[in-house]
Amino acid sequence: TEDSVAVWAMSGFGVEDRRIDDYMTRARHFPWLVLDLRGNAGGALEGVDRLLGHFVDTSFVAFTQQYRDSTRAHTVTPRGDGAGPYRGHVIVLLDSESASSSEIVAWILQHHAGATVIGDRSAGAVHGSVMIPLAVPGNDIVPYGLQLSLFDVVMPDGTRLEGTGVMPDRPVLPTAMDLVEGRDPGLQAELEFAAGR
């Protein structure tokens, strides 16, 4: 029906490429797609490319990786196996724990695919980094390490998400009573938005 909704709670971008393709193939049968990125701390840029490729029909520079002494344009290419991009309405749900790759996806869908973002401002933690495990000889009780930033992410219009995050089009935050009673006002707001209420 014209108000049917597919809801995908995506916990990270370490998802196998085939799973992303399979889900988006199923999502094409729905006029509304809710992409729930709450708590999604990010992951592999390959997963980002794969997902975003289902929303475009031509290749485009999604963002630039700004290193200390060089830059690298990051290009997304179309997916969909000849079926074209997803043409339905897209809603993205964020919270303050949506970080890194999930912020990049949300911003690009918001600015280039007409998606509506609902929820809270995202974490503003998008620097590409590497974790270097450290250890004190004889101490295997408390693991720790050094997270070293490698590059900044600059969006096509010059926006830097680091420290600012993605701002929702419709801010929706749970109340204390929502949390106590297990209600999900963010998801409810998305479903009501899709239903046109």
Side-chain angles (χ1 to χ4, degrees), residues 132-181:
I132 303 172
L134 300 173
V136 174
N139 179 7
D140 57 359
I141 298 174
V142 182
Y144 70 100
L146 171 67
Q147 187 164 354
L148 180 65
S149 294
L150 300 178
F151 60 86
D152 192 7
V153 173
V154 183
M155 309 314 288
D157 67 351
T159 297
R160 284 179 158 83
L161 300 178
E162 183 70 27
T164 60
V166 177
M167 296 300 297
D169 300 297
R170 299 183 63 198
V172 177
L173 296 175
T175 65
M177 192 56 67
D178 288 331
L179 297 175
V180 168
E181 297 184 358

Side-chain angles (χ1 to χ4, degrees), residues 71-116:
T71 60
R72 176 188 172 197
H74 196 93
T75 301
V76 169
T77 57
R79 303 292 309 169
D81 300 323
Y86 175 77
R87 300 289 186 187
H89 305 280
V90 182
I91 303 173
V92 180
L93 184 56
L94 295 179
D95 65 9
S96 61
E97 296 181 352
S98 305
S100 191
S101 297
S102 64
E103 298 182 86
I104 294 171
V105 166
W107 192 95
I108 290 173
L109 291 178
Q110 183 183 43
H111 288 82
H112 293 279
T116 300

